[in-house]
Amino acid sequence: MTFDTFGTLSSMNDWHTISPEKAIELLNSDASSGLSDDEVAQRRKYFGKNELKQTAGRSKLSILWDQFTNIMLIMLMAIAIISAILDLRHSNFPKDSIAIFTIVILNGILGYVQESKAEQALAALKRLSSSYVKVVREGVTQQLDAEELVPGDIILLEAGVQIAADGHLLEAQNLQVSESTLTGEATAVTKDADLILGEDAPLGDRLNLIFKGTQVAKGRAKAVVTKTGMETEIGLIATMLQTVETEPTPLQQRMTQLGKVLVGGSLSLVVLVTVAGLIKSGWQIFEEILETSLSMAVAVVPEGLPAVVTVTLAIGTQKMIRRQALIRKLPAVETLGSVTTICSDKTGTLTQNKMIVQQVCTNSFNFEVTGTGYQPTGEFQGENHNLLEKEPEISKLLEACIFCNDALLQCSRKTSQKTAIWSILGDPTEGALLVLAGKAGLFKEDLERNRPRLGEFPFDSERKRMSVIISNSDSDSPYVMFVKGSPELILERSLYIQISGKFQPITKQHRQQILNQNTHLASIGLRVLGLAYKPLAEIPSANTEEENEQELVWLGLLGMLDAPREEVKQAVVNCLHSGIRPVMITGDHPLTAMAIASKLNIANANEQVISGQEIAKMSATELEQAVKQVSVYARVAPEHKLRIVKALQKQGEFVAMTGDGVNDAPALKQADIGIAMGITGTDVSKEASDMVLLDDNFATIVAAIEEGRVVYDNIRRFIKYILGSNIGEVLTIAAAPLLGLSSVPLSPLQILWMNLVTDGLPALALALEPAEPNVMSRPPYDPKESIFARGMGLYMVRIGIIFALLTIVLMVWSYNHDLDSANPNHWKTMVFTTLCLAQMGHALAVRSDTRLTIEMNFFSNPYLLSAIALTTVLQVLLIYVTPLRNFFETSILSFTDLLICLGFSLLVFVWVEMEKLCQRYFFKK
């Protein structure tokens, strides 16, 4: 083959539309002998190894360097250098400079630790690759490393084998493949080598193909390799994963904006004060003006803020773990609070991932069955429902459910029927039949003890039914054969119908009634099984199913569904109440998807469902318009999920996306919040996600969103607290030279103390403030809103001015009072102490925007009370403990001085409380 031919094969994506013979012909291979060694070498040269390739990411050195390009840290480093130069000029130890550099390094390390955890999604994807594979080459079957496969190789498959490449089946004997890693659906798919499908067949319906990374659950097969490496379906997912660009979270964007505003404001103020000072006093006091400017610049930067934000998010992660949500990426804690749309998978998240029989239809009875999960407790809801299981029609049908069944219903703990934990060993559909019988008090182990299985005709994909032979409890015939499977096919073979305790010839009217019932059950999204039986005089021989599965007696229909989780319906109501739109995206049938969506109020029964085939035909613009209205998507492929998420984001939605399979990983990474399943999720989906649901429950997402909103509210609360105080510090420092004071009232070291300790400890405690009552009864805040939005910027400036005015009055009084004093640090200590104590009152007042402090539970946040007490004690120690007093350059204050400082500081608390009263009054007006 030429390289041009290889290129054609590489770009071919419709292998499911051709026969096995045509696939062999196109690949220039031989179904019996495989490829020759020369052909293998030629193809490997073109296609390369059968492996997933990774693009280079950011180096750890690059991540570390990026931490120190933050604009606030750059300004602090410049301040530290200038401060060191000034200290060394006067032969002073540069303690301010060392303290600032220490803060810069710690903040850099903190950021590096958060960012340096590399994405492991592709590594997890590589673990899905098989190590060895059986290959036929030059007529010899050999076991080779899976990386050596090339298109055209003939591979042999058997139960338990992980498939090493994409391929077209040549032969298949009862082959079932688990494709949950690709399609997300847990049930193994029955394959058929001879099928020829339409070009638009979804990935999950391509039953004549096999895919890399999936696993053979049952049977044997021979296949020809069509795609290897990055050209496989799993390779395409790897490509999508590596091309999805990670956007900064709302919090990261807001913090970047905050940094720019603070640095811009600080530099503007420094220039203003410097120019004003020089105009007033000339160049002879330039060094004093420079010291003032440095102090102002240090004061404006909230050095403790990155640490407080990080600790707050970490606390949020711990709270979320208690609510069954594991946060993998720290900023996701706050990001959850901005979610406007939740795109959820159906199976296991919205539903129980447990098939339950919900409808039973026989000739004389048509009733619903209640109950949840695999608990064999529930009611048959119909006329005389307490006696229904005693009716001959029903009891015979329940016998068929038990005997024509290979599953087991197990109880792992049985202190009582209500507390027992029940599980299914085997096929979930068969398990649902055992649970149905259990609700009537019939259990498999009891019945099979006296009537063991004597023969069987196993299920296969062509017959679409299963039959078992047991001894008969009736006296008419010694044996009976029970049959279950496709309703239409079993009905075709039925000549009789069970009515009460006898069977009668089946009429056209009976057949039409049964077909109508079948259509109705399927139309409401139920999976439908037909059941029948046949009395036998002797046990049939093996392989005689065709002649024996005739002249059956029709028993009835069972409609089953993977029922919604009980708590999800209320969670959906909470979502809608809080302005969040739930959307279902599933690989299941559209009817089934809509049945669940309508039960959960995600969509109305008459709303549109869009399938993957329809999405494939839509342009990006058409899909962007469709996602505004459509809440249910069915039969979707991986690329469809990714397109839906992108379309929603284009519409300004902030999207949380759930997923459990490999197929979900690109969409999880693209979404603003990727949510993987902890129980059923693959390693790939977990590594691509921001959050993992430990219980795979949609209700947990809503609980996590509530926690995210609380975290964001608390982050705003302590930013408001920290920056209001910082603005007060800056204005106080700026006022000193303008008022003709001889020196700066606060040293950089004292400012660092206030920013890290006096601000930091109460700010951390504010991060633990309980949720406001209305946190989930309002729409989500716009994720693009500024950190200063909703009046916060104005509040910080206003409170900063109040801080400054009160402190400046005290500063001028104490400065003039100390003019004749021999201690130049006394008035400065009073300013330092007043600012610190005022922040304690501010911390108490800022707990709520609307409620007065006396209206709140004073002890609902004991951490804040402890932080205020501890910070106050530490501040007193700086004044009265000699080593600390010398290091921070403070002076001893008298008891009267302390009372004066406390009086001035309390005025800030009084002001904030008075503001709340004024707002309340004008709001009522």
Side-chain angles (χ1 to χ4, degrees):
M1 293 181 77
T2 64
F3 274 22
D4 288 342
T5 309
F6 290 154
T8 305
L9 291 175
S10 184
S11 61
M12 186 170 170
N13 294 312
D14 54 357
W15 292 97
H16 56 286
T17 65
I18 62 176
S19 66
E21 295 76 21
K22 185 66 176 175
I24 287 289
E25 180 188 333
L26 287 172
L27 288 159
N28 196 24
S29 186
D30 187 292
S32 302
S33 59
L35 299 172
S36 68
D37 289 342
D38 290 341
E39 287 172 323
V40 169
Q42 189 183 14
R43 294 177 192 217
R44 187 174 297 117
K45 188 175 180 182
Y46 181 85
F47 292 104
K49 285 188 173 183
N50 177 33
E51 63 180 359
L52 302 181
K53 295 172 184 173
Q54 188 166 5
T55 55
R58 288 167 72 200
S59 69
K60 293 197 172 184
L61 192 62
S62 168
I63 295 170
L64 183 62
W65 173 257
D66 285 347
Q67 306 312 308
F68 297 99
T69 57
N70 177 289
I71 192 165
M72 286 197 292
L73 293 189
I74 290 172
M75 189 175 84
L76 281 177
M77 287 188 282
I79 292 167
I81 291 167
I82 296 169
S83 177
I85 292 169
L86 291 176
D87 281 334
L88 293 172
R89 271 192 67 198
H90 295 94
S91 301
N92 294 328
F93 181 70
K95 59 185 178 183
D96 293 341
S97 178
I98 290 170
I100 294 170
F101 265 122
T102 303
I103 299 304
V104 169
I105 291 167
L106 288 175
N107 275 324
I109 291 170
L110 194 64
Y112 171 77
V113 169
Q114 281 191 59
E115 277 192 55
S116 63
K117 190 176 180 184
E119 284 297 329
Q120 296 297 315
L122 194 67
L125 208 56
K126 286 183 175 182
R127 290 198 290 272
L128 291 174
S129 301
S130 174
S131 299
Y132 296 98
V133 62
K134 282 186 180 178
V135 188
V136 178
R137 286 184 181 169
E138 295 193 330
V140 179
T141 301
Q142 46 192 299
Q143 187 163 288
L144 298 176
D145 194 309
E147 288 186 354
E148 301 300 315
L149 284 181
V150 295
D153 263 328
I154 305 299
I155 58 175
L156 305 177
L157 306 173
E158 58 191 21
V161 165
Q162 195 172 61
I163 297 171
D166 288 5
H168 194 301
L169 287 168
L170 304 177
E171 303 168 9
Q173 290 80 42
N174 203 21
L175 181 69
Q176 292 187 355
V177 179
S178 174
E179 295 182 343
S180 59
T181 52
L182 273 181
T183 64
E185 294 306 312
T187 308
V189 179
T190 301
K191 296 288 186 176
D192 187 340
D194 298 321
L195 276 179
I196 297 176
L197 301 168
E199 196 170 328
D200 59 353
L203 189 70
D205 292 344
R206 297 178 186 179
L207 304 180
N208 53 356
L209 302 185
I210 54 169
F211 303 104
K212 180 181 175 72
T214 60
Q215 191 152 11
V216 178
K218 187 178 179 183
R220 293 178 294 106
K222 179 190 279 189
V224 59
V225 173
T226 55
K227 302 270 188 181
T228 57
M230 298 298 283
E231 298 295 323
T232 61
E233 291 295 333
I234 213 165
L236 296 177
I237 291 172
T239 302
M240 283 192 277
L241 268 175
Q242 294 181 87
T243 53
V244 170
E245 293 184 5
T246 304
E247 294 290 328
T249 69
L251 181 62
Q252 290 166 333
Q253 292 172 342
R254 287 164 180 147
M255 295 307 288
T256 300
Q257 178 201 27
L258 179 63
K260 290 177 180 176
V261 170
L262 289 177
V263 170
S266 171
L267 293 177
S268 301
L269 201 56
V270 164
V271 170
L272 184 66
V273 170
T274 302
V275 170
L278 290 175
I279 291 171
K280 183 179 180 181
S281 306
W283 286 94
Q284 63 269 23
I285 62 160
F286 175 71
E287 199 163 302
E288 287 83 351
I289 294 172
L290 190 59
E291 286 178 6
T292 302
S293 299
L294 291 179
S295 293
M296 285 168 53
V298 173
V300 87
V301 177
E303 290 85 1
L305 187 59
V308 173
V309 169
T310 301
V311 173
T312 303
L313 296 175
I315 291 167
T317 65
Q318 294 305 309
K319 288 183 178 180
M320 288 185 183
I321 285 174
R322 291 196 287 272
R323 302 183 82 163
Q324 300 299 306
L326 174 66
I327 301 298
R328 293 190 63 256
K329 297 171 185 174
L330 214 51
V333 176
E334 177 272 338
T335 309
L336 277 161
S338 302
V339 168
T340 60
T341 303
I342 304 174
C343 294
S344 177
D345 191 18
K346 175 185 70 67
T347 306
T349 310
L350 296 171
T351 66
Q352 301 173 34
N353 199 15
K354 296 173 181 177
M355 295 297 285
I356 301 169
V357 175
Q358 295 194 325
Q359 292 270 358
V360 178
C361 300
T362 68
N363 180 72
S364 309
F365 303 97
N366 190 339
F367 58 90
E368 292 185 5
V369 183
T370 65
T372 59
Y374 293 139
Q375 292 281 129
T377 53
E379 292 184 352
F380 294 176
Q381 294 190 328
E383 291 183 18
N384 300 319
H385 62 275
N386 292 327
L387 303 173
L388 273 173
E389 63 268 25
K390 306 297 183 186
E391 290 288 340
E393 281 181 42
I394 307 302
S395 60
K396 200 74 171 178
L397 179 137
L398 295 176
E399 281 187 24
C401 289
I402 288 176
F403 288 117
C404 199
N405 203 311
D406 288 329
L408 292 174
L409 177 62
Q410 298 178 324
C411 179
S412 56
R413 189 178 75 230
K414 195 171 184 180
T415 53
S416 72
Q417 189 73 350
K418 286 187 177 179
T419 58
I421 298 175
W422 295 84
S423 60
I424 290 296
L425 186 63
D427 183 76
T429 302
E430 292 194 323
L433 306 188
L434 295 180
V435 174
L436 173 68
K439 290 172 183 177
L442 300 175
F443 292 93
K444 190 174 186 179
E445 57 270 27
D446 298 332
L447 270 66
E448 285 191 338
R449 194 176 297 121
N450 299 319
R451 301 171 67 189
R453 186 181 297 188
L454 303 172
E456 67 179 295
F457 299 124
F459 176 87
D460 71 47
S461 56
E462 290 183 14
R463 288 167 51 245
K464 295 186 178 177
R465 60 186 176 272
M466 164 190 184
S467 302
V468 298
I469 299 96
I470 62 163
S471 59
N472 198 356
S473 57
D474 300 335
S475 57
D476 296 346
S477 55
Y479 307 106
V480 63
M481 178 173 70
F482 287 111
V483 187
K484 80 164 188 289
S486 165
E488 296 92 339
L489 295 180
I490 291 180
L491 186 58
E492 281 179 14
R493 293 169 175 265
S494 298
L495 287 185
Y496 306 97
I497 185 168
Q498 179 88 4
I499 299 176
S500 296
K502 299 178 181 179
F503 58 85
Q504 301 174 12
I506 196 167
T507 65
K508 283 185 179 180
Q509 288 80 7
H510 288 138
R511 289 184 187 278
Q512 192 56 51
Q513 179 187 342
I514 293 164
L515 290 172
N516 290 342
Q517 288 172 336
N518 182 43
T519 302
H520 170 69
L521 294 177
S523 71
I524 59 173
L526 300 184
R527 181 177 181 181
V528 189
L529 276 182
L531 294 161
Y533 76 99
K534 180 182 181 181
L536 296 173
E538 59 183 26
I539 299 173
S541 305
N543 302 318
T544 60
E545 53 265 36
E546 247 345 280
E547 59 193 74
N548 280 289
E549 290 175 340
Q550 303 286 353
E551 301 179 4
L552 304 176
V553 181
W554 178 262
L555 285 171
L557 294 169
L558 300 179
M560 60 189 73
L561 186 71
D562 180 8
R565 288 176 179 262
E566 285 185 325
E567 64 275 20
V568 168
K569 191 165 187 177
Q570 183 57 48
V572 170
V573 170
N574 293 345
C575 270
L576 297 171
H577 186 57
S578 55
I580 300 167
R581 178 185 168 209
V583 172
M584 180 194 289
I585 304 177
T586 178
D588 216 332
H589 192 279
L591 289 174
T592 308
M594 182 48 77
I596 296 295
S598 58
K599 282 189 177 184
L600 293 173
N601 296 326
I602 291 174
N604 296 323
N606 57 354
E607 284 188 27
Q608 182 186 7
V609 180
I610 290 185
S611 69
Q613 289 174 311
E614 292 173 292
I615 293 171
K617 295 172 184 174
M618 288 181 174
S619 66
T621 306
E622 288 171 334
L623 185 57
E624 285 164 21
Q625 293 305 310
V627 296
K628 293 179 182 177
Q629 308 296 331
V630 177
S631 296
V632 182
Y633 301 86
R635 285 284 191 249
V636 293
E639 62 272 19
H640 301 148
K641 294 184 179 185
L642 188 59
R643 286 189 65 197
I644 291 166
V645 170
K646 286 182 176 179
L648 284 164
Q649 289 172 327
K650 280 281 187 181
Q651 293 301 315
E653 299 293 334
F654 203 77
V655 184
M657 169 79 190
T658 72
D660 54 6
V662 172
N663 61 322
D664 297 320
L668 289 175
K669 195 171 180 184
Q670 175 66 41
D672 300 289
I673 288 286
I675 304 171
M677 302 296 110
I679 299 171
T680 59
T682 59
D683 286 347
V684 183
S685 63
K686 290 174 186 174
E687 293 295 346
S689 70
D690 303 291
M691 181 175 104
V692 178
L693 294 184
L694 300 179
D695 59 357
D696 289 11
N697 193 336
F698 180 86
T700 300
I701 303 172
V702 182
I705 287 173
E706 180 183 351
E707 201 61 55
R709 289 187 176 190
V710 174
V711 167
Y712 179 51
D713 286 348
N714 285 344
I715 286 174
R716 278 177 57 89
R717 189 172 283 119
F718 65 64
I719 287 177
K720 184 163 66 173
Y721 161 71
I722 289 173
L723 293 186
S725 307
N726 283 20
I727 290 170
E729 293 169 23
V730 171
L731 294 177
T732 302
I733 294 166
L738 299 178
L739 293 171
L741 275 61
S742 61
S743 60
V744 182
L746 298 168
S747 71
L749 193 61
Q750 289 172 340
I751 295 166
L752 284 176
W753 170 265
M754 284 195 291
N755 288 355
L756 290 172
V757 180
T758 314
D759 285 351
L761 291 178
L764 277 175
L766 285 170
L768 295 165
E769 193 66 30
E772 293 275 2
N774 69 334
V775 72
M776 285 301 280
S777 58
R778 59 166 175 80
Y781 295 130
D782 184 355
K784 295 184 176 65
E785 77 170 15
S786 161
I787 193 70
F788 305 109
R790 290 180 280 120
M792 190 164 119
L794 183 61
Y795 173 89
M796 291 187 297
V797 172
R798 189 170 66 246
I799 295 304
I801 291 171
I802 298 302
F803 256 96
L805 287 174
L806 293 171
T807 311
I808 288 167
V809 169
L810 173 89
M811 179 172 68
V812 172
W813 174 82
S814 60
Y815 179 81
N816 291 325
H817 188 267
D818 290 346
L819 278 176
D820 299 327
S821 170
N823 187 353
N825 287 331
H826 184 268
W827 70 274
K828 295 180 183 179
T829 304
M830 289 193 73
V831 171
F832 180 34
T833 304
T834 300
L835 279 170
C836 289
L837 294 179
Q839 285 164 292
M840 301 305 98
H842 189 210
L844 282 173
V846 84
R847 290 180 66 194
S848 174
D849 294 334
T850 55
R851 290 181 293 166
L852 298 175
T853 303
I854 57 172
E855 294 173 338
M856 301 174 70
N857 181 352
F858 198 66
F859 299 100
S860 62
N861 188 353
Y863 304 100
L864 181 61
L865 300 179
S866 301
I868 288 172
L870 177 61
T871 307
T872 304
V873 169
L874 291 173
Q875 182 64 27
V876 171
L877 292 177
L878 294 191
I879 299 170
Y880 297 105
V881 175
T882 303
L884 292 174
R885 185 170 66 246
N886 293 338
F887 187 76
F888 282 92
E889 298 177 359
T890 58
S891 174
I892 292 175
L893 299 180
S894 68
F895 183 69
T896 304
D897 292 336
L898 277 177
L899 287 178
I900 293 169
C901 292
L902 183 62
F904 271 90
S905 63
L906 277 174
L907 292 175
V908 173
F909 172 79
V910 172
W911 177 274
V912 177
E913 295 294 281
M914 291 297 293
E915 273 196 3
K916 293 177 190 176
L917 285 173
C918 291
Q919 287 172 0
R920 189 178 297 180
Y921 173 76
F922 286 113
F923 182 75
K924 283 181 179 178
K925 293 272 285 185

